[in-house]
Amino acid sequence: MNKASSAEQRRFKRIKINLSVVYRLAKPAAVRLSVGNKEVRATMLDLSEGGLSVLTNYDIPRSAALLIKFTLFRVENDDVSFYGPMDIVGEVRYNMPLGGNEYRLGIYYKKIKSQDKAEISNFLKSKGSMPLSP
């Protein structure tokens, strides 16, 4: 296997980001009971046109559906541009335990409005010079 074939295999490029998000479990019901029917804060670690990853204190299983809310913003000189607020239905694709009651969740957009998808795309294009996350 050469170096080029072992490179990033993702469909969408990701950017590193540190942003608060809020999510609520939609299903499965058993997990919703253990977390509660409340909105939970998490930290977005990276973002792409196809999904995002978050850092959370809850052990959410793969395939769980999440209702996710966040607003993106970009600060350039004295100008602030807002993208959103976004209301997205996501599905947990992976759950990586990090220790200390922290988990990194990889989330795929299962249901996203075309307006929100366009705003994420525009936001990512504005950040085009940023490196991809590892």
Side-chain angles (χ1 to χ4, degrees):
M1 179 184 293
N2 65 30
K3 197 170 190 168
S5 65
S6 66
E8 180 75 34
Q9 297 288 317
R10 295 182 178 273
R11 185 172 168 203
F12 299 104
K13 288 186 177 184
R14 299 177 290 164
I15 62 164
K16 287 184 180 181
I17 194 165
N18 185 345
L19 185 70
S20 290
V21 298
V22 177
Y23 69 88
R24 173 178 285 166
L25 276 149
K27 64 179 183 178
V31 177
R32 196 168 58 237
L33 291 173
S34 67
V35 173
N37 201 21
K38 62 183 177 185
E39 290 186 341
V40 177
R41 287 187 152 244
T43 301
M44 186 186 305
L45 299 174
D46 64 42
L47 176 70
S48 79
E49 289 184 49
L52 54 95
S53 70
V54 298
L55 179 66
T56 184
N57 293 347
Y58 291 93
D59 187 8
I60 309 297
R62 289 184 66 217
S63 300
L66 302 178
L67 308 173
I68 306 162
K69 297 179 183 182
F70 60 91
T71 300
L72 299 170
F73 64 93
R74 179 179 53 131
V75 179
E76 201 171 291
N77 299 324
D78 292 333
D79 184 41
V80 179
S81 301
F82 289 94
Y83 303 82
M86 314 277 175
D87 286 304
I88 297 170
V89 176
E91 179 181 301
V92 176
R93 287 287 176 98
Y94 70 83
N95 176 331
M96 184 185 314
L98 301 175
N101 198 35
E102 290 187 321
Y103 303 87
R104 181 181 179 132
L105 305 179
I107 302 165
Y108 163 78
Y109 304 139
K110 195 166 184 166
K111 184 177 178 186
I112 182 170
K113 296 177 206 159
S114 57
Q115 171 82 25
D116 290 346
K117 190 171 188 170
E119 289 196 2
I120 290 171
S121 179
N122 289 336
F123 177 81
L124 293 170
K125 286 176 187 168
S126 75
K127 298 289 189 183
S129 62
M130 292 186 68
L132 296 176
S133 62

